[in-house]
Amino acid sequence: MLQEEKLEALSMAGKPKLHYFNGRGRMESIRWLLAAAGVEFEELFETREEFERLIQGGTLMYEQVPIVQIDGMNLVETRAILRYPAAKYNLYGRNLQEQAWIDMYVEGLRDLSDMIMFFPLSLPGEKEMNLEYILEKATTRFFPVYEKEFKARISYIPTIHKFLQPGSQRKPPLDEVSTETVKNIFKFERGMFLKNMGTIVAEY
Ligand SMILES: N[C@@H](CCC(=O)N[C@@H](CS)C(=O)NCC(=O)O)C(=O)O
C-alpha cells in the first residue's frame, strides 16, 4: 500500500459509514445532521447487487436502508439513526422539554419530506395533483413554522454554512436518471400511492 493510501485508510477507519444510493432520500437528513455536528463520514453508494449482498450478509435488520455503521453498530431506521449522533454530539436538547420540541420539528419535517421524497415516483397522471398538494401543505402548514423558528439563525452556523457550499456531500434533488436508478435498486416498478400527508397506504 502506498503511503497516501495508508493515510487515507487510517483517516477513513473511524468515520461513520453511510450505505445508501447516491441521492437524498431518507439519508439526506442523516447527512445534514452529521455535517451539522462537524462529523466527517464516508459514503458507500449501493447498487442493486450491493444492496442484496448487505441483505444476504445479515447486516440490514429489516432488509432496508439507510444503514449507518458507527461505533461498532449497524444502525438502521432513519429516526433511530438520527437520535444516536444527535445525542452523542449534544444536538438533542438539554432537557426533556427541549427534546420534545426537537421531536415535534423532526416529525413535522418528516411528514413534509416524505411527500417530497416520493413525489418523483408519482404516477404520471397524478404528478400535477400531487405537486399542487405538496406545495399547498408546504407553504401554508410547514414553512411558516420553520421560517419563524429557524430561517435566519440556521444558515449562520459554521458547519451548516459549510454543508450548504457547492462540493459538500449534500445531494441534489432526484432527476429523471437518478429516479430510474432508485427504481432499479429498490425494485419500484409502478407508482406509489400518496395519501394523508405522505403516508404510503399502498404500493401498486
Ligand atoms: N422506516 C424505515 C424505512 C426504510 C425504507 O423504506 N427504506 C427503503 C429505501 S428508502 C428500502 O430499503 N426499500 C427496500 C425494501 O423495502 O425492500 C426508515 O425510516 O429507515
Side-chain angles (χ1 to χ4, degrees):
M1 222 190 239
L2 292 173
Q3 186 67 11
E4 302 87 74
E5 283 174 343
K6 272 190 200 156
L7 285 174
E8 171 80 4
L10 263 179
S11 73
M12 288 293 195
K15 290 182 186 175
K17 286 191 178 56
L18 279 52
H19 298 255
Y20 204 59
F21 69 87
N22 189 10
R24 290 183 180 177
R26 293 183 201 274
M27 192 62 103
E28 195 66 356
S29 54
I30 299 165
R31 295 187 184 103
W32 269 94
L33 179 67
L34 291 171
V39 176
E40 288 185 17
F41 52 90
E42 187 187 348
E43 298 204 72
L44 296 113
F45 299 123
E46 306 301 342
T47 58
R48 178 71 205 175
E49 293 69 38
E50 281 150 1
F51 181 51
E52 277 171 8
R53 214 171 299 137
L54 282 180
I55 293 176
Q56 277 144 25
T59 313
L60 303 176
M61 186 185 271
Y62 300 116
E63 304 191 351
Q64 288 178 322
V65 285
I67 179 169
V68 174
Q69 295 177 304
I70 181 171
D71 296 343
M73 287 182 295
N74 288 323
L75 274 184
V76 296
E77 283 296 334
T78 311
R79 279 172 295 174
I81 299 171
L82 286 169
R83 273 188 213 109
Y84 183 80
K88 180 172 174 178
Y89 297 105
N90 297 322
L91 294 171
Y92 199 18
R94 284 162 297 187
N95 52 47
L96 285 176
Q97 279 77 12
E98 277 191 6
Q99 249 178 43
W101 277 103
I102 290 168
D103 285 342
M104 287 192 275
Y105 291 125
V106 167
E107 294 302 322
L109 193 55
R110 200 184 90 108
D111 286 344
L112 175 61
S113 61
D114 272 3
M115 289 192 280
I116 296 170
M117 181 171 70
F118 285 110
F119 173 70
L121 303 171
S122 307
L123 291 173
E126 293 179 359
K127 262 209 152 132
E128 210 171 304
M129 178 187 76
N130 285 345
L131 182 61
E132 227 170 84
Y133 182 82
I134 293 169
L135 282 175
E136 202 261 326
K137 289 287 177 271
T139 50
T140 60
R141 188 171 291 188
F142 296 104
F143 288 172
V145 175
Y146 301 119
E147 274 163 9
K148 182 165 154 266
E149 300 297 332
F150 303 121
K151 198 175 175 178
R153 289 186 278 152
I154 292 288
S155 58
Y156 290 113
I157 296 172
T159 49
I160 290 186
H161 183 76
K162 190 171 158 206
F163 196 58
L164 285 166
Q165 302 309 305
S168 79
Q169 282 167 295
R170 186 172 167 235
K171 303 292 169 220
L174 286 185
D175 58 18
E176 274 178 29
V177 176
S178 44
T179 301
E180 283 313 305
T181 310
V182 175
K183 283 182 180 170
N184 289 333
I185 295 177
F186 299 123
K187 293 198 185 296
F188 292 145
E189 274 147 24
R190 287 161 289 167
M192 305 294 282
F193 181 55
L194 294 180
K195 199 180 159 196
N196 295 336
M197 307 296 301
T199 306
I200 301 158
V201 293
E203 196 180 324
Y204 62 99

